[in-house]
Amino acid sequence: MSILVNKDTKVIVQGFTGKEGTFHASQCIDYGTQIVGGVTPGKGGQEHLGRPVFNTVEEAVASTGATVSMIFVPPAFVADAVMEAADAGVELAVIITEGAPVRDMMYAKMYATKKGMSTIGPNCPGIITAEECKIGIMPGNIFKKGNVGLISKSGTLTYEASHQVVQEGYGITTAVGIGGDPIIGLSYKQLLPMFEADPETEAIVMIGEIGGDLEIQAAAYIKEHISKPVVAFIAGQTAPKGKRMGHAGAIISGGSGTAAEKMAALEAAGVKVVVSPADIGKAVKEVLTK
Amino acid sequence: MNIHEYQAKEIFRKYNVPVPKGKVAFTVDEAVEAAKELGGKLWVVKAQIHAGGRGLGGGVKLAKSLDEVRHWADEILGMTLVTHQTGPEGKVVHKVYIEEGADIAKEYYLGMLLDRAAEMPVMMASTEGGMEIEKVAAETPEKIVKVTIDPTVGFQGFHGRKLAFGLGLPKEEVGTFIKFASALYKAYMDNDAEMVEINPLIKTGDGKFLALDAKMGFDDNALYRHPDIAEMRDLDEEEPTEMEAKAHGLSYIKLDGNVGCMVNGAGLAMATMDIIKHEGGEPANFLDVGGGANPETVAKGFEIILKDPNVKAIFVNIFGGIVRCDRVANGILEATKITDVNVPVIVRLDGTNAAEAAEILKNANIENIIAAENLADGARKAVAAAKGEL
Ligand SMILES: Nc1ncnc2c1ncn2[C@@H]1O[C@H](COP(=O)(O)OP(=O)(O)OP(=O)(O)O)[C@@H](O)[C@H]1O
Ligand SMILES: [Mg+2]
């Protein structure tokens, strides 16, 4: 079992024939993901990576039965692509593109929600169900199958965490990179109950960052609703105040959104919080052997 | 990207958000000339820097004559202004804004930014306008009235009424206030602002609302569709090394320690700083080489890190996803040809093509390049190397 995606999930790629889209779609295909086609307006009817190309998402969905779209279009076209997917009845859009304007994402997410489409990202590594389905840009070989669910704001920290979990002899059910932009799709609060309900997931790792209050919301949720052990790391404990660390999300303003606050809230909710990012794997072992 | 008060007020004028008359000046003579052109008997000389708290720091002065304008412009231009937002090093003032003195009956606060929880913009107002809104937010948050505004319907009368009545405005002033707030909303939305802040928003003796201060910041990702705003960038306000890094696709922030860091991904870069501190060291910088790292950008990363004379060791911590480790390994070798890397470099490469990368580094056989087993080992070695103990 897993959450959201598995070996039967049919995926299309928006921005299929571009450089990034091509490279990562072929990596996903190699991993075993059912990439059933792609969309590049104006290139409909062609074939790319042995899959059909369509002019519109609507045609792609009608002809392939895809339920998930992986989005690689340039930042200025992300909102349009997300809304097109929602309009075509896609169930989940995984938005990899970095640099989409916040205002665009605000409208795109509202529209997606209205149409009943979930989103992951933008500016994220994507989602992977180990050894079944990789929808994103993560190195697939890092994610061995196992019993740990992973939710992370940061791309490379997702890989780091999974790597450590695997080195301790465990593995991953599903890992979701939720992204760190000011407006994102599925977040801890929506993903935690999915892992709680997944019979294969026995522990959950949560990687957070300074800025915003999603981790604080997650802490409140965990306290009330999550019975499985949770391990957390919050990046940015030593980030200087008021400095911006590359992510729009990683801003500390006033007294809110600091790593210390988030760590305290999670600890109070019974989460095993690690101070060093090198201790994530060890902490997983600890909670699973207790 | 942030802009100056005088630039924000230009935008306000365009959107009919009322502001006093004013002119920017780069020299003392220009300042006096500006005051003459504005006319009247009372002027305010305001330092233009990208930071708040200028009033308390001595960067905002009232002048009752042209001589006083000259005096204050002379005083403020070139001064290093230190406020609670500039950090202890302060900021050098290169321009002043000369504005007509306003008749202040009451000061309010009005601001807008993204409410992340609601995923909509929020407008905030307070009767506690003036110079210490941070204190109000921290100590008496109930004195701040907030409305989230659904952008699909836009700013409605009820949004304005909630704020106006929340501020305790008499009913004959509510209409004027709503007009003001609605114009501000449009200025914020149209320009992809990240935040706008008017502190103080004043009511004048004759019952008008006027923005006495104006701070605006914009979404960098949206600047491509606002060339007029992108043009307002003031290079004097940017850290030159950070700008140079950005031009090469790197995100760099200088810090005070001596362990240089080169990492891919903002999250892992922050975590790397955390673990260096955890192991008893001090990070010299934040550096995210991003998704497009190639030998040139990595070499540039070394060059930028080594500009800081405090750096005694460099920790390269790369987990390969988009950035393949073999490319990073080549970048490290390339860098040692372009830049003289005269400090120990502790390299931890893992992920895509990690084995090939290890092979590349091993075959190169360079003395000050030290391989690390994992994250903790790398951090420990880097901290030890910076202390001269490796
Ligand atoms: N045109 C003006 N006429 C009269 N008084 C003014 C004028 N401009 C500014 N002031 C006074 O100077 C004070 C400080 O100016 P301003 O708010 O523009 O800068 P600031 O100190 O940087 O603001 P903040 O503390 O909000 O960051 C104001 O609160 C106001 O009392
Ligand atoms: Mg002010």
Side-chain angles (χ1 to χ4, degrees):
Chain A
M1 283 291 286
S2 56
I3 69 164
L4 289 164
V5 299
N6 58 38
K7 61 181 186 339
D8 299 321
T9 306
K10 289 195 173 116
V11 184
I12 53 162
V13 183
Q14 286 174 265
F16 191 32
T17 57
K19 192 169 150 250
E20 293 282 308
T22 301
F23 176 74
H24 290 292
S26 70
Q27 298 263 313
C28 291
I29 291 169
D30 290 349
Y31 194 76
T33 308
Q34 288 206 44
I35 303 282
V36 292
V39 178
T40 298
K43 292 195 175 173
Q46 297 181 11
E47 202 173 85
H48 186 62
L49 305 178
R51 269 78 176 161
V53 182
F54 301 91
N55 282 326
T56 66
V57 178
E58 193 176 14
E59 287 171 75
V61 167
S63 144
T64 63
T67 55
V68 176
S69 177
M70 172 163 73
I71 298 181
F72 274 105
V73 303
F77 308 112
V78 165
D80 185 5
V82 171
M83 293 193 263
E84 185 184 357
D87 192 62
V90 167
E91 289 167 19
L92 172 69
V94 182
I95 313 157
I96 308 299
T97 310
E98 174 179 354
V102 172
R103 190 179 67 185
D104 292 7
M105 284 318 301
M106 189 161 70
Y107 287 116
K109 190 176 172 192
M110 278 181 190
Y111 188 70
T113 307
K114 197 167 130 186
K115 291 280 178 179
M117 182 180 79
S118 298
T119 53
I120 293 176
N123 190 9
C124 76
I127 176 170
I128 183 167
T129 288
E131 294 167 23
E132 291 191 34
C133 177
K134 162 177 127 104
I135 305 174
I137 57 178
M138 60 288 269
N141 56 308
I142 309 299
F143 298 83
K144 297 275 178 291
K145 206 171 191 53
N147 56 359
V148 179
L150 179 53
I151 313 170
S152 169
K153 266 189 183 175
S154 145
T156 39
L157 269 177
T158 314
Y159 319 155
E160 181 67 51
S162 174
H163 185 63
Q164 288 184 26
V165 166
V166 169
Q167 285 196 320
E168 292 295 338
Y170 298 91
I172 300 293
T173 47
T174 302
V176 190
I178 60 175
D181 277 9
I183 291 185
I184 59 170
L186 295 176
S187 170
Y188 307 109
K189 221 175 125 178
Q190 292 87 42
L191 293 163
L192 284 164
M194 297 183 199
F195 281 125
E196 176 76 12
D198 173 34
E200 250 173 42
T201 300
E202 284 170 32
I204 304 164
V205 174
M206 195 184 129
I207 310 284
E209 248 174 36
I210 50 171
D213 73 340
L214 293 176
E215 294 85 349
I216 306 271
Q217 290 179 32
Y221 186 87
I222 290 168
K223 199 169 184 173
E224 294 296 319
H225 304 285
I226 301 295
S227 63
K228 295 178 180 177
V230 182
V231 169
F233 170 73
I234 305 292
Q237 298 162 41
T238 55
K241 273 200 170 190
K243 290 250 181 182
R244 178 190 253 263
M245 297 294 175
H247 269 194
I251 302 169
I252 304 195
S253 51
S256 76
T258 63
E261 253 176 79
K262 294 181 178 189
M263 290 162 78
L266 287 163
E267 224 148 58
V271 172
K272 169 113 190 112
V273 179
V274 296
V275 178
S276 164
D279 292 341
I280 299 166
K282 271 181 248 160
V284 166
K285 183 173 189 170
E286 211 182 300
V287 300
L288 280 175
T289 47
K290 215 163 34 193
Chain B
M1 185 190 93
N2 294 326
I3 60 173
H4 289 293
E5 173 193 7
Y6 78 93
Q7 295 166 320
K9 284 181 172 170
E10 258 171 51
I11 296 173
F12 280 15
R13 279 189 199 100
K14 213 170 105 190
Y15 282 86
N16 298 315
V17 178
V19 293
K21 275 192 282 180
K23 279 187 147 68
V24 68
F26 294 81
T27 66
V28 177
D29 287 341
E30 273 175 34
V32 176
E33 204 47 46
K36 266 192 212 155
E37 278 176 39
L38 289 173
K41 306 188 286 255
L42 186 65
W43 299 271
V44 187
V45 181
K46 308 180 77 174
Q48 298 296 290
I49 55 167
H50 288 184
R54 296 165 302 163
L56 293 173
V60 178
K61 296 290 183 185
L62 218 59
K64 295 199 180 81
S65 67
L66 290 175
D67 281 342
E68 282 186 26
V69 170
R70 179 172 294 280
H71 170 79
W72 288 121
D74 189 41
E75 197 92 334
I76 293 172
L77 278 166
M79 85 186 278
T80 301
L81 187 52
V82 181
T83 81
H84 67 285
Q85 290 187 4
T86 59
E89 67 279 9
K91 273 188 168 167
V92 180
V93 182
H94 297 284
K95 38 196 163 287
V96 289
Y97 190 54
I98 310 297
E99 192 172 60
E100 60 181 5
D103 165 23
I104 305 176
K106 172 94 185 89
E107 298 192 324
Y108 300 94
Y109 170 93
L110 189 64
M112 262 188 92
L113 48 79
L114 176 76
D115 179 337
R116 285 196 183 195
E119 299 180 333
M120 288 176 197
V122 56
M123 193 178 282
M124 302 174 293
S126 173
T127 50
E128 308 301 297
M131 292 196 273
E132 284 192 272
I133 195 69
E134 286 97 332
K135 240 181 155 172
V136 181
E139 288 165 16
T140 47
E142 70 281 1
K143 287 192 173 157
I144 300 180
V145 200
K146 295 181 189 173
V147 288
T148 50
I149 304 160
D150 183 335
T152 55
V153 300
F155 191 89
Q156 297 294 320
F158 79 89
H159 294 122
R161 289 194 296 278
K162 185 172 169 194
L163 293 170
F165 289 118
L167 289 176
L169 297 181
K171 68 173 188 298
E172 56 278 12
E173 285 169 12
V174 171
T176 344
F177 176 83
I178 291 179
K179 236 177 112 189
F180 187 103
S182 164
L184 184 70
Y185 173 80
K186 194 157 169 25
Y188 174 95
M189 289 304 291
D190 278 7
N191 294 293
D192 281 286
E194 204 166 64
M195 73 97 190
V196 54
E197 191 179 78
I198 304 175
N199 186 25
L201 158 69
I202 62 152
K203 193 157 74 187
T204 59
D206 49 3
K208 291 201 187 85
F209 289 97
L210 214 50
L212 269 210
D213 191 4
K215 291 184 170 54
M216 279 187 103
F218 301 88
D219 179 358
D220 286 332
N221 292 339
L223 282 177
Y224 74 91
R225 59 189 175 203
H226 303 291
D228 50 330
I229 287 164
E231 228 170 68
M232 291 181 175
R233 184 184 294 280
D234 182 354
L235 293 178
D236 284 338
E237 291 285 337
E238 317 271 345
E239 168 64 42
T241 322
E242 291 175 16
M243 289 292 285
E244 188 190 341
K246 209 166 156 191
H248 291 85
L250 309 170
S251 171
Y252 171 87
I253 294 170
K254 193 188 167 309
L255 303 169
D256 299 329
N258 61 5
V259 184
C261 305
M262 173 143 49
V263 191
N264 63 329
L268 189 60
M270 282 193 283
T272 304
M273 288 158 48
D274 293 345
I275 197 170
I276 282 171
K277 202 133 184 176
H278 187 69
E279 295 295 343
E282 287 290 336
N285 66 280
F286 166 93
L287 175 59
D288 173 10
V289 291
N294 53 44
E296 290 71 38
T297 54
V298 174
K300 194 76 202 174
F302 276 115
E303 197 185 311
I304 285 166
I305 291 173
L306 288 168
K307 276 191 183 163
D308 176 358
N310 292 333
V311 171
K312 296 284 179 289
I314 296 174
F315 182 22
V316 179
N317 182 22
I318 303 284
F319 209 104
I322 314 184
V323 191
R324 301 196 315 260
C325 296
D326 54 330
R327 279 169 74 180
V328 179
N330 278 322
I332 293 166
L333 299 181
E334 195 75 22
T336 56
K337 286 178 210 152
I338 304 168
T339 318
D340 181 24
V341 185
N342 53 0
V343 299
V345 179
I346 289 71
V347 184
R348 185 263 174 152
L349 299 174
D350 226 326
T352 310
N353 294 2
E356 290 91 323
E359 198 63 20
I360 291 169
L361 289 180
K362 204 182 84 196
N363 292 340
N365 212 354
I366 299 172
E367 193 195 343
N368 64 336
I369 294 183
I370 300 146
E373 305 278 310
N374 53 40
L375 180 54
D377 180 54
R380 255 171 239 137
K381 281 181 174 153
V383 170
K387 288 178 178 162
E389 293 166 2
L390 194 74

